[in-house]
Amino acid sequence: MTLAELQDVALRGKMPKFVGKQLAEWLYDKKVTSFDEMANISKKNKEWLAENYIIGREAPSSAAKSSDGTVKYLFKVGNGNSIESVYIPDKERATLCVSSQAGCKMNCYFCATGRMGFKANLTAAQIMNQILSIPPKASKGEAQMNPLTNIVFMGMGEPLDNFKEVKKVIEILTADWGLAWSPKRITVSTVGKLPQLKELLEETQVHVAVSVHSAETSQRESMMPAQKAFPISSVMKMLAGYDFSHQRRLSLEYIMWRNVNDDIAHAEMLVKLIGNIDCRVNLIRFHAIPGVDLVPSSEDRMLMFRSFLNQHGITATIRASRGEDIAAACGMLAK
């Protein structure tokens, strides 16, 4: 709940409005898991809260650890559905890849989540539960994992297809009464769903990542049905109206497949698509999934592609693959 909603809860329980702020502090700053822990709220009020509400915190039901330190967590979200979140440690950084839906409507050919179909939108509470429950407290004798420094909405689902709840989570993460994070610690990924992308840009200051994967219209449409409704040329035209030259960052995601989208002709099309837009391109190794007859590009092809973009004034990097051995890498989440 937002601060306004928590204040409404307080008033509904015949408590002073300021109790709403106290509830926010207990939930988001102190991260309590029961009403009993709320020391400055009276016993009577705690009893009323417990009768009418739940905290909503649930620990992950299982975890799998990769050889590279990445950890994939499974959360149950009701009606027989589960979702996965991925904790990615990297020196002093710790990034959580969160899910916003169980399954996905976008049906991208190369994505395990898309191929499982759409199951349900997650509530803001179910999204926040992933963030507040990871990393869990260390068991006796175990080293404590680093606290989260970054959130990426790149897990299961299309975040802008559940934008009302995602926007609420962004508010909780960035508000003074919430986690008080800088929006620069948050990245929202999308296939380019308009008009929600415009709303995201207008109403938040989070980083944005757009899944491109091919600048060739017909090829992109064959792999990403969303191209028909939201052509990448229209998405880029809209993005050109925003300033990404300062703190806010625009990234373009580009999975590379051998003999599909990894030659100079495709690099040239991508350069043309980008034009003068200030962005960085993340080149991503394809991670094989069952039933998909695509093969990852070679290292040489990826390096050649990156060099071509760099030579044309576009910052391009090859993203390090994390968690592939536990099916936690890009495009592999499916529960």
Side-chain angles (χ1 to χ4, degrees):
M1 288 185 170
T2 63
L3 176 60
E5 289 171 325
L6 291 169
Q7 288 170 335
D8 285 344
V9 167
L11 295 174
R12 208 172 299 133
K14 298 183 172 54
M15 302 174 223
K17 191 176 178 180
F18 69 76
V19 173
K21 183 80 182 292
Q22 292 176 323
L23 288 170
E25 186 176 354
W26 285 112
L27 292 169
Y28 303 128
D29 182 31
K30 297 189 167 61
K31 301 178 177 60
V32 301
T33 56
S34 77
F35 292 109
D36 287 340
E37 297 173 77
M38 299 181 176
N40 60 354
I41 294 176
S42 73
K43 185 181 177 186
K44 178 186 169 187
N45 287 337
K46 282 191 283 195
E47 286 173 353
W48 181 87
L49 286 164
E51 283 170 14
N52 291 277
Y53 296 92
I54 58 167
I55 298 288
R57 288 282 301 281
E58 287 187 39
S61 55
S62 66
K65 188 167 185 178
S66 165
S67 57
D68 64 24
T70 299
V71 186
K72 181 172 71 172
Y73 294 95
L74 184 73
F75 288 92
K76 292 181 174 156
V77 291
N79 297 319
N81 295 319
S82 296
I83 55 98
E84 295 177 320
S85 310
V86 182
Y87 174 89
I88 308 165
D90 184 16
K91 297 175 185 172
E92 71 282 355
R93 286 167 62 101
T95 300
L96 183 66
C97 181
V98 299
S99 293
S100 54
Q101 296 178 313
C104 185
K105 295 177 189 173
M106 299 302 112
N107 195 27
C108 296
Y109 175 68
F110 47 83
C111 176
T113 309
R115 293 174 70 82
M116 69 183 277
F118 175 71
K119 308 295 183 185
N121 278 325
L122 300 190
T123 64
Q126 289 168 332
I127 300 171
M128 282 303 304
N129 182 55
Q130 298 168 65
I131 296 164
L132 295 175
S133 298
I134 297 173
K137 288 180 181 173
S139 302
K140 195 172 181 180
E142 285 186 349
Q144 181 61 44
M145 296 160 72
N146 289 340
L148 299 180
T149 60
N150 297 80
I151 298 289
V152 292
F153 284 85
M154 294 181 181
M156 298 172 72
E158 161 58 55
L160 299 191
D161 194 41
N162 187 21
F163 186 52
K164 183 182 174 187
E165 300 301 299
V166 167
K167 186 166 71 168
K168 199 170 168 182
V169 170
I170 292 170
E171 180 184 353
I172 294 166
L173 287 172
T174 57
D176 289 343
W177 50 260
L179 273 64
W181 277 28
S182 163
K184 308 305 181 289
R185 294 169 64 180
I186 305 164
T187 301
V188 175
S189 177
T190 177
V191 297
K193 193 169 190 292
L194 305 169
Q196 290 85 353
L197 177 54
K198 184 174 176 61
E199 199 176 336
L200 177 76
L201 290 164
E202 297 285 348
E203 297 187 11
T204 78
Q205 283 297 313
V206 299
H207 297 314
V208 176
V210 176
S211 298
V212 177
H213 309 315
S214 176
E216 186 181 349
T217 302
S218 59
Q219 186 180 66
R220 189 172 191 265
E221 189 177 312
S222 71
M223 293 189 169
M224 302 175 68
Q227 166 70 18
K228 196 173 286 187
F230 313 112
I232 193 62
S233 57
S234 300
V235 173
M236 296 301 288
K237 187 176 179 182
M238 191 208 72
L239 290 169
Y242 294 86
D243 183 4
F244 296 103
S245 62
H246 298 292
Q247 285 190 310
R248 184 179 221 175
R249 188 171 66 239
L250 170 66
S251 303
L252 304 184
E253 311 289 289
Y254 196 95
I255 296 174
M256 297 191 67
W257 302 288
R258 188 178 303 172
N259 301 328
V260 175
N261 66 344
D262 64 349
D263 56 22
I264 289 296
H266 280 85
E268 287 172 341
M269 284 186 277
L270 184 57
V271 169
K272 187 176 177 182
L273 177 71
I274 292 169
N276 295 320
I277 297 172
D278 200 310
C279 67
R280 68 173 62 186
V281 175
N282 288 324
L283 302 176
I284 302 168
R285 292 176 178 84
F286 174 61
H287 304 107
I289 59 172
V292 174
D293 57 350
L294 293 168
V295 178
S297 290
S298 67
E299 186 74 17
D300 286 346
R301 273 292 176 101
M302 293 188 76
L303 290 168
M304 175 272 295
F305 204 96
R306 182 184 67 181
S307 295
F308 186 90
L309 295 178
N310 289 342
Q311 287 160 15
H312 285 78
I314 297 166
T315 300
T317 57
I318 297 173
R319 183 189 287 170
S321 182
R322 300 291 300 270
E324 187 173 6
D325 57 333
I326 54 167
C330 182
M332 298 183 82
L333 302 185
K335 276 294 175 188

